[in-house]
Amino acid sequence: MDEELSGIPDLDEVRQPALEQLTALTKRKAVSDGRHPTSIPFLTINRYSQQTPPIPVVLTPSFCLILQGSKKLLFGEHIILARAGDFLTSLIALPGNAQVNSTGEAVPYIGLRLDFTTREIASVIAEAQLKPQDKTANAGAFIGKTDTELLELFIRLLRLLDKPESEALFLSGLVKRELIYKLLSGEYGHLFFQQVFFDQQAEGVGNAIAWIKDHYTRSFTVEELAKANNMSVSGLHHKFKAVTSMGPLQYQKQLRLQEARRLLLSGSMDVTTAALEVGYESPSQFNREYRRLFGLPPLQDIKAVKKNAAAGLLENSRLLSPAKSFV
């Protein structure tokens, strides 16, 4: 059987027992398909026994540990495949497509999602006096390999779910800080340091990304965006694409369409109103671009999503909130 769909792969003997123990703990907390929030606010368990089609999503800053099955992300020209024993991290709001793979009830897809913020990462960096590794990095999302120490931290986190809520809330925060420290000081530390740099309101591509996230309804030219950030047009394009795998205007378009889809799913407005709300001046252009991204015209797509309950399948995605930053 293909390793991608076979559940827990043939890991090294050191990691295998820890991964199996963590998987067993998780299965006791999530016995049915769906998204399972826990008493620890930043921890969610996800379980799916069916393979999903590629679903357009906007990734938000989070850490996803794959325990069984696999997860595929497509953003821009890049494809990321995370298998059991891998972790998948998104550092910024990143539009793309996601697909969960499972072999069925016997070996469902199981993932643990841990949400984090730039402030939490920056706090650990400052308190532990960590220094950036001497490595360059430009990646809005990436995968990494777990080790036994990382798996054991998640085992501790899962065991706290059996404790009184007040105890679980307090101790889970300490475990989370230890986990962030582990990630920052480990092999992938230079990638996690990016989270802080992306979020800083300094000149450069991080500021350009933040501006588009906060002003996605406003029209702009790449020339204007580059000038506002003291960059050349070619420099902005190159750095923006290195981080997001797409250009600034494509990034804005996907954020607009995802938000329009959220508005339509909420039932709060019709297609034309949703198009205008997210910044489109031409309903016909909106319909064309919506169909190009989601595969169906707006009303047909919303009907299909509601029928299949597909909007909440993927634990590393979250529908956008209107007129707010994407966190």
Side-chain angles (χ1 to χ4, degrees), residues 1 26 41 54 114 120 150 159 161 167 207 209 283 297 302 317:
M1 183 180 294
T26 305
L114 188 150
E120 289 172 319
L150 186 65
R159 284 177 172 166
L161 295 176
E167 181 179 352
N207 193 45
I209 292 172
I302 297 307
S317 67

Side-chain angles (χ1 to χ4, degrees), residues 69 133 199 257:
Q133 299 175 14
D199 200 58
L257 292 171

Side-chain angles (χ1 to χ4, degrees), residues 118 125 132 190 192-202 205-207:
T118 301
I125 291 173
H190 63 293
F192 284 95
F193 264 91
Q194 292 179 102
Q195 173 76 5
V196 176
F197 299 143
F198 286 156
D199 200 58
Q200 289 176 338
Q201 296 301 307
V205 68
N207 193 45

Side-chain angles (χ1 to χ4, degrees), residues 236-251:
L236 175 62
H237 260 298
H238 176 75
K239 292 182 179 180
F240 202 102
K241 194 167 185 179
V243 173
T244 67
S245 193
M246 63 190 76
L249 295 178
Q250 184 184 5
Y251 182 79

Side-chain angles (χ1 to χ4, degrees), residues 45-322:
I45 302 171
N46 295 270
R47 179 189 188 278
Y48 298 103
S49 57
Q50 296 182 352
Q51 179 172 325
T52 71
I55 300 173
V57 296
V58 176
L59 305 182
T60 54
S62 59
F63 178 100
C64 176
L65 176 59
I66 312 297
L67 302 181
Q68 286 189 169
S70 66
K71 189 173 188 177
K72 182 184 293 184
L73 295 177
L74 300 89
F75 55 99
E77 301 171 352
H78 294 283
I79 298 176
I80 292 179
L81 177 62
R83 297 183 172 91
D86 294 340
F87 65 80
L88 168 64
T89 297
S90 52
L91 300 175
I92 59 173
L94 191 62
N97 288 275
Q99 181 178 25
V100 161
N101 293 309
S102 168
T103 55
E105 284 292 339
V107 187
Y109 167 86
I110 298 177
L112 294 175
R113 175 191 168 109
L114 188 150
D115 293 299
F116 56 79
T117 66
T118 301
R119 181 174 297 179
E120 289 172 319
I121 294 178
S123 174
V124 172
I125 291 173
E127 188 172 334
Q129 298 183 358
L130 295 173
K131 303 297 182 183
Q133 299 175 14
D134 188 21
K135 298 180 181 179
T136 58
N138 284 296
F142 62 92
I143 61 171
K145 299 291 183 182
T146 60
D147 57 23
T148 302
E149 186 178 351
L150 186 65
L151 295 173
E152 288 176 347
L153 283 171
F154 272 92
I155 289 173
R156 286 168 54 192
L157 206 55
L158 263 292
R159 284 177 172 166
L160 287 176
L161 295 176
D162 295 323
K163 300 291 185 180
E165 185 173 353
S166 59
E167 181 179 352
L169 286 174
F170 177 74
L171 294 179
S172 64
L174 300 179
V175 175
K176 185 179 185 181
R177 287 180 66 82
E178 185 177 350
L179 194 148
I180 291 173
Y181 175 85
K182 159 74 176 172
L183 295 172
L184 285 167
S185 58
E187 178 182 357
Y188 305 96
H190 63 293
L191 295 168
F192 284 95
F193 264 91
Q194 292 179 102
Q195 173 76 5
V196 176
F197 299 143
F198 286 156
D199 200 58
Q200 289 176 338
Q201 296 301 307
E203 293 180 347
V205 68
N207 193 45
I209 292 172
W211 188 89
I212 297 175
K213 288 191 298 181
D214 293 337
H215 303 90
Y216 64 95
T217 63
R218 290 176 54 177
S219 298
F220 67 90
T221 66
V222 177
E223 289 77 9
E224 291 169 341
L225 190 63
K227 183 178 180 180
N229 290 281
N230 295 320
M231 302 176 70
S232 67
V233 172
S234 60
L236 175 62
H237 260 298
H238 176 75
K239 292 182 179 180
F240 202 102
K241 194 167 185 179
V243 173
T244 67
S245 193
M246 63 190 76
L249 295 178
Q250 184 184 5
Y251 182 79
Q252 180 201 36
K253 180 191 300 183
Q254 293 212 24
L255 292 181
R256 281 181 168 184
L257 292 171
Q258 290 284 2
E259 173 61 4
R261 195 189 205 197
R262 187 199 69 80
L263 293 171
L264 291 171
L265 282 168
S266 72
S268 61
M269 56 187 67
D270 59 27
V271 173
T272 299
T273 305
L276 296 173
E277 181 73 16
V278 299
Y280 278 89
E281 297 179 358
S282 167
S284 60
Q285 180 187 6
F286 170 76
N287 286 330
R288 287 195 303 272
E289 294 185 352
Y290 189 103
R291 182 169 187 167
R292 190 175 300 123
L293 178 61
F294 297 113
L296 290 170
L299 292 181
Q300 291 183 33
D301 173 63
I302 297 307
K303 183 177 180 180
V305 169
K306 290 181 176 179
K307 180 179 179 180
N308 298 320
L313 281 177
L314 301 171
E315 80 276 8
N316 218 45
S317 67
R318 183 180 300 162
L319 290 175
L320 309 181
S321 300

